[in-house]
Amino acid sequence: DVKVTQSSRYLVKRTGEKVFLECVQDMDHENMFWYRQDPGLGLRLIYFSYDVKMKEKGDIPEGYSVSREKKERFSLILESASTNQTSMYLCASSFGGQTNYGYTFGSGTRLTVV
Amino acid sequence: AQKVTQAQTEISVVEKEDVTLDCVYETRDTTYYLFWYKQPPSGELVFLIRRNSFDEQNEISGRYSWNFQKSTSSFNFTITASQVVDSAVYFCALSEAYNQGGKLIFGQGTELSVKP
């Protein structure tokens, strides 16, 4: 069964900590994405990557960075976690090319910053 | 600019009722894709349907049907004879064909509650 796997389902971190959220896909997808989901705001794109070592800012990149050293892995980094980064984080991946077949999503990581 | 609007934040129905979830989109492109995803309480978004802008045929899959109308920029989703297992948050999404990386723009989501 093809999958996008997020390393943690729930995380609790302290303000100021550096936080790593990991995402791995086994579908050989070119594109990978990080979204955050907040009530009433839907899914907002933080960063995405369309190739290894390539990254592009999404709509809300402030306070985040990403790393994609291998095709299958896309990491989201909170350099200094703050309480307003408490949210559900969703990773997704998709094939490249002009035809968009949509995303496969991971199960999400619910991050609480205290 | 691209935008997806799901005006219904929450809908509550009783089992066996039909329910329609609205989705209105904005794009300047003539080639684009529309999607619906379901997010059950477990949290993982599940793909339901994809439509490209050149295919306005309505689609039916079991109790689910989709009505795509370019004239009104709408892509509405109907569940016939709803069941408790349909309770979830439903997202409509748009992708313009030539955007690098195949980004999807999501609506705010509609939370559907089906009561027994």
Side-chain angles (χ1 to χ4, degrees):
Chain A
D1 198 17
V2 292
K3 270 191 172 175
V4 176
T5 303
Q6 294 185 231
S7 53
S8 304
R9 195 67 199 271
Y10 298 94
L11 269 181
V12 180
K13 296 292 182 180
R14 295 195 179 279
T15 301
E17 274 193 76
K18 190 168 186 175
V19 180
F20 293 86
L21 302 183
E22 306 288 345
C23 176
V24 178
Q25 51 97 1
D26 64 2
M27 293 165 285
D28 203 33
H29 283 170
E30 288 79 14
N31 304 325
M32 296 189 75
F33 307 85
W34 276 105
Y35 285 83
R36 65 177 281 177
Q37 181 180 6
D38 300 287
L41 298 177
L43 277 68
R44 294 180 293 166
L45 181 63
I46 304 171
Y47 267 97
F48 69 101
S49 167
Y50 52 87
D51 201 351
V52 177
K53 296 193 188 293
M54 303 302 291
K55 57 188 178 185
E56 293 281 343
K57 292 180 180 178
D59 300 317
I60 51 163
E62 297 77 22
Y64 303 95
S65 63
V66 290
S67 172
R68 193 165 181 202
E69 296 295 318
K70 293 185 177 180
K71 189 175 186 179
E72 66 271 18
R73 185 180 295 269
F74 191 37
S75 303
L76 180 69
I77 303 154
L78 286 66
E79 297 290 343
S80 178
S82 64
T83 54
N84 62 14
Q85 292 179 309
T86 291
S87 186
M88 168 73 96
Y89 289 88
L90 292 163
C91 177
S93 68
S94 69
F95 285 113
Q98 290 182 353
T99 300
N100 194 329
Y101 294 99
Y103 295 172
T104 301
F105 279 91
S107 301
T109 296
R110 189 165 292 282
L111 173 67
T112 302
V113 182
V114 298
Chain B
Q2 305 174 68
K3 188 177 178 183
V4 176
T5 302
Q6 295 178 254
Q8 305 147 308
T9 307
E10 295 177 11
I11 301 176
S12 182
V13 299
V14 177
E15 212 170 16
K16 298 199 174 100
E17 281 186 38
D18 299 347
V19 57
T20 295
L21 282 60
D22 296 333
C23 173
V24 174
Y25 62 92
E26 294 175 30
T27 177
R28 280 183 274 196
D29 271 16
T30 55
T31 305
Y32 52 89
Y33 299 92
L34 294 164
F35 302 83
W36 277 95
Y37 284 85
K38 174 182 179 180
Q39 185 181 39
S42 60
E44 185 170 335
L45 275 84
V46 176
F47 170 87
L48 294 178
I49 190 172
R50 163 183 168 267
R51 234 333 155 245
N52 74 53
S53 52
F54 299 112
D55 182 3
E56 279 193 82
Q57 265 195 322
N58 290 335
E59 174 125 357
I60 298 174
S61 176
R63 296 183 298 104
Y64 294 173
S65 62
W66 291 269
N67 183 294
F68 176 28
Q69 292 199 326
K70 287 174 79 168
S71 60
T72 55
S73 297
S74 64
F75 186 41
N76 296 338
F77 173 31
T78 297
I79 302 174
T80 303
S82 59
Q83 300 176 2
V84 172
V85 293
D86 296 325
S87 296
V89 181
Y90 291 86
F91 290 96
C92 180
L94 163 72
S95 176
E96 291 173 346
Y98 302 110
N99 78 85
Q100 192 166 41
K103 293 180 297 181
L104 266 62
I105 304 298
F106 288 85
Q108 300 91 324
T110 297
E111 183 170 4
L112 174 65
S113 176
V114 182
K115 301 193 186 309

